[in-house]
Amino acid sequence: MSKTTFSIIKADVGGYPGHATVHGELMEVAEKKLSASNDLINYHVTHCGDDLELLMTHKEGEDSEKIHSLAWETFQEATEKARELGLYGAGQDLLSDAFSGNVRGMGPGIAEMEFTERKAEPVVAFLMDKTEPGAFNYPLFKIFADPFNTAGLVIDPSLHAGFRFEIMDIKRDKTIMMNAPEEIYDILALLGAKGRFVINKVYPKEGSKLPSDEPVAAVSTEKLYQIAGEYVGKDDPVAIVRAQSGLPALGEVLEPFSHPFLVSGWMRGSHNGPIMPVSQKDAKCTRFDGPPRVLCLGTQVKDGKFDEPADLFDDPAFDMVREKSADIAEYMRRHGPFEPHRLPMEEMEYTTLPEVMNELEDRFQ
Ligand code: F6R
Ligand code: MG
Ligand code: MG
């Protein structure tokens, strides 16, 4: 059987209200557009916060012109609807008027992977709002390299060899492939600097039950402010993770989200705050435009087809995390404009500091 590609392509093409969520009519536009395509096997349209998310399966491979142009046209049509309805920031993530065959570098976020389906193929989509791609460093490291998270790394012979991480230096646009567990200290030296080094993909090792050249996890690594050369909106990342039989179990994939770790983004893309794992119903950003949210949709892919995804954080097992996240959000907020709630000067996506400094320059003695 030929390989299957799972693609998530997403963009903020207008918020309702402000940057909180996506208007139902934009999702209807996307549903209509994707249902009319002959190139998709299946799709699911949803949103996390103000991001319109297209989950798609097909046989066209990664970076397919057909699939990327379908997504691009969908976002354009949704932008027209957003303008008509007077939604906030209509078309904000579509940075170019001319589509040249691939949406990479044009504003939308993309996580894609092409793989040979196993007998049963569990696939999990993580959708985040109000944060950056480096927000996936902590959970993906835990899933694929931390034995305190993933019991299988210790007790399942099929995972015991570990995994390979493809890490991107987003400032220099270079990637490096690193091996876990052999190089975990060096891997963490990079991944801890999550504003600069970002996990792009995870691969099995040679000799694993799975082909070592087919990814088992993929993250969207587009950084909007670097693409546009200035701040135009948060990049709000997405990721795809495959699970079970030779890979971390579904529960091991969800386990890192039992800790509401700190990420940067939140209000004006300029604050640190806790991630909050939420159900689809709560995938909207409210308090101080946040706190940053992560939604998790899981499904089984068979011959490229998949059913209505399960809403995996819609579960009392994560209530405690949400409460803790709300407590941390409150604690962080009390710092107001002070770091480390506010991001360091060079990482803020909005800043008046150069102007303030300019104005005050003469008064410094
Ligand atoms: C963060 C985000 C929001 C906006 C904020 C100000 O990623 O989207 O927090 O930055 O609401 O938005 P504008 O400048 O559009 O008024
Ligand atoms: Mg927005
Ligand atoms: Mg967003």
Side-chain angles (χ1 to χ4, degrees):
M1 206 199 85
S2 68
K3 294 183 191 179
T4 297
T5 306
F6 198 104
S7 302
I8 308 178
I9 309 190
K10 45 91 31 185
D12 176 350
V13 291
Y16 177 76
H19 295 277
T21 181
V22 172
H23 194 287
E25 286 194 39
L26 299 199
M27 301 219 280
E28 278 168 32
V29 168
E31 277 283 343
K32 202 166 149 208
K33 183 76 181 171
L34 299 193
S35 68
S37 163
N38 294 322
D39 297 317
L40 298 181
I41 301 174
N42 250 159
Y43 68 89
H44 178 72
V45 172
T46 187
H47 76 96
C48 181
D50 58 3
D51 294 293
L52 179 58
E53 315 267 0
L54 314 177
L55 280 58
M56 301 172 284
T57 47
H58 53 90
K59 294 283 174 189
E60 305 294 328
E62 295 176 25
D63 286 323
S64 149
E65 179 164 351
K66 276 190 203 162
I67 303 302
H68 283 217
S69 52
L70 174 66
W72 184 257
E73 285 164 20
T74 304
F75 294 138
Q76 278 188 318
E77 289 176 25
T79 296
E80 274 166 44
K81 178 56 86 181
R83 292 212 171 99
E84 193 185 305
L85 295 172
L87 303 185
Y88 193 72
Q92 78 161 46
D93 281 358
L94 306 188
L95 304 180
S96 166
D97 294 331
F99 178 75
S100 56
N102 190 306
V103 290
R104 275 181 212 279
M106 300 190 70
I110 309 118
E112 284 189 304
M113 56 190 194
E114 186 182 34
F115 53 88
T116 309
E117 279 182 27
R118 296 168 292 165
K119 245 189 350 235
E121 189 63 60
V123 176
V124 176
F126 289 105
L127 315 172
M128 290 184 178
D129 190 34
K130 303 296 185 272
T131 184
E132 62 182 2
F136 278 111
N137 285 4
Y138 174 90
L140 286 179
F141 179 85
K142 304 254 320 164
I143 294 167
F144 290 100
D146 180 2
F148 283 78
N149 180 87
T150 298
L153 293 168
V154 179
I155 64 176
D156 179 347
S158 67
L159 271 77
H160 201 64
F163 292 90
R164 293 179 305 142
F165 289 82
E166 186 183 79
I167 298 169
M168 189 170 174
D169 176 347
I170 43 185
K171 291 238 160 83
R172 295 191 301 160
D173 196 18
K174 290 186 168 187
T175 56
I176 180 170
M177 190 68 97
M178 298 185 81
N179 291 309
E182 301 88 316
E183 300 182 280
I184 52 171
Y185 298 159
D186 288 346
I187 292 174
L188 287 171
L190 300 185
L191 294 186
K194 62 186 172 35
R196 169 146 182 196
F197 299 100
V198 174
I199 297 172
N200 191 30
K201 287 207 162 117
V202 181
Y203 291 93
K205 289 243 177 94
E206 297 279 342
S208 145
K209 275 164 77 173
L210 289 92
S212 61
D213 58 347
E214 295 182 6
V216 293
V219 181
S220 62
T221 44
E222 287 67 30
K223 287 281 295 178
L224 285 182
Y225 74 87
Q226 278 161 5
I227 293 166
E230 58 176 314
Y231 178 79
V232 286
K234 252 315 208 213
D235 24 340
D236 303 336
V238 293
I240 310 168
V241 181
R242 296 163 63 200
Q244 307 285 157
S245 7
L247 296 176
L250 179 70
E252 290 166 337
V253 170
L254 303 181
E255 182 64 5
F257 296 92
S258 62
H259 174 54
F261 51 93
L262 293 173
V263 297
S264 50
W266 205 351
M267 174 58 77
R268 297 175 189 275
S270 303
H271 293 82
N272 281 312
I275 193 88
M276 183 182 269
V278 290
S279 66
Q280 182 71 71
K281 156 176 93 52
D282 294 322
K284 57 178 181 250
C285 290
T286 54
R287 184 176 182 190
F288 201 53
D289 284 359
R293 312 271 162 144
V294 56
L295 170 65
C296 178
L297 302 179
T299 189
Q300 292 283 141
V301 177
K302 178 69 180 168
D303 300 330
K305 295 194 206 72
F306 66 92
D307 267 336
E308 183 72 21
D311 187 354
L312 292 167
F313 290 145
D314 180 16
D315 180 346
F318 286 91
D319 282 350
M320 165 203 90
V321 193
R322 291 186 269 269
E323 265 167 45
K324 196 163 167 193
S325 175
D327 279 350
I328 297 167
E330 169 60 17
Y331 172 80
M332 296 299 280
R333 281 300 302 127
R334 294 283 67 81
H335 295 80
F338 284 82
E339 297 177 10
H341 177 33
R342 194 179 79 182
L343 293 182
M345 278 163 68
E346 60 288 354
E347 285 175 38
M348 280 189 296
E349 297 201 349
Y350 279 63
T351 181
T352 48
L353 275 170
E355 283 164 40
V356 172
M357 284 303 286
N358 234 355
E359 224 157 83
L360 299 181
E361 190 50 37
D362 294 346
R363 294 166 55 192
F364 276 101
Q365 300 296 318

